[in-house]
Every structure is written in C-alpha cells, then in structure tokens.
Amino acid sequence: MSPAPDSRTDDEVLAATDVTLLLRYGLAQDAFRTALFGDGAIAAAVTLDRLGVVPRSLVFVAEIVRAGGLAYAAALREPLPSPAPAELLRDWLTGAAQTATTAEAETRAARWLEAVAEIVARRRATREGTA
C-alpha cells in the first residue's frame, strides 16, 4: 500500500484556481456561472485575503465597474491600494473585460466582486472571533 499523499487545505486548493478563466467564462456563459460565484468567488477571496485586501476596497471597485465598466476599472492605475493585489485584480478585470461585452455581464462582474468582498469579510470575522 502506498503512503497517503500530502494533504492540502481547502484554502490551498482554492488558491490554485484560475480565477481569470472562471471570470471569462462565468460572466459570458450560464453554464459556468455557478462555478464563478461558488468556487471562483471563494478562490478570489482566499487569494485576496492572503494579500491583505480589505473588503471595502473590493466594494469600491465593484462600484467603479458599475459606473464605468470592466475595461475602465481594469485601466485604473491602482484599483487596490497595494501593488501586488492591484496587479492581480487588474489581470482578472482585464480578462473579464475581453468576454463580458454586455451591460448585464458587467453588472454580474460587480455583483461577483461584492460577493468576494463579503467572503473576505466573513473569513476575517471568523479569524477574529466576531462572526
């Protein structure tokens, strides 16, 4: 019998998820929407939480997406206050803007960002014991 493989936590598995790919397909195709708002939102939250992103920053970007669209938000010099998460989010938004060509898809992207923000907030509250 072979030894058990090294186990990985759910956070580690989710952090390896290709969020850009899920955004591209989940915003444009109904078949991928559940994955985008499920595993995709959790994966994004895990990744951004590890980088120290605060939920209100994501809510602010969601408002920018609603007001100006994904391409506009992706073109922001600093969509988030810190360089590493800003670059990551810019990559996600740029990928999403390539396929989300309708106002409905952009609204969906803003809702997704708000969902990610809520998950980050819940993770933090759980860690701090305030959930």
Side-chain angles (χ1 to χ4, degrees), residues 76-87:
L76 292 174
R77 186 169 163 231
E78 290 184 357
L80 294 173
S82 301
E87 184 62 32

Side-chain angles (χ1 to χ4, degrees), residues 71-126:
Y72 179 80
L76 292 174
R77 186 169 163 231
E78 290 184 357
L80 294 173
S82 301
E87 184 62 32
L88 178 63
L89 183 62
R90 189 178 303 104
D91 288 346
W92 292 348
L93 296 174
T94 300
Q98 293 171 0
T99 58
T101 57
T102 66
E104 181 183 355
E106 292 196 338
T107 299
R108 197 173 296 122
R111 282 193 359 252
W112 180 81
L113 284 166
E114 291 167 342
V116 172
E118 183 63 29
I119 295 166
V120 171
R122 296 289 175 187
R123 287 173 55 85
R124 288 178 177 214
T126 299

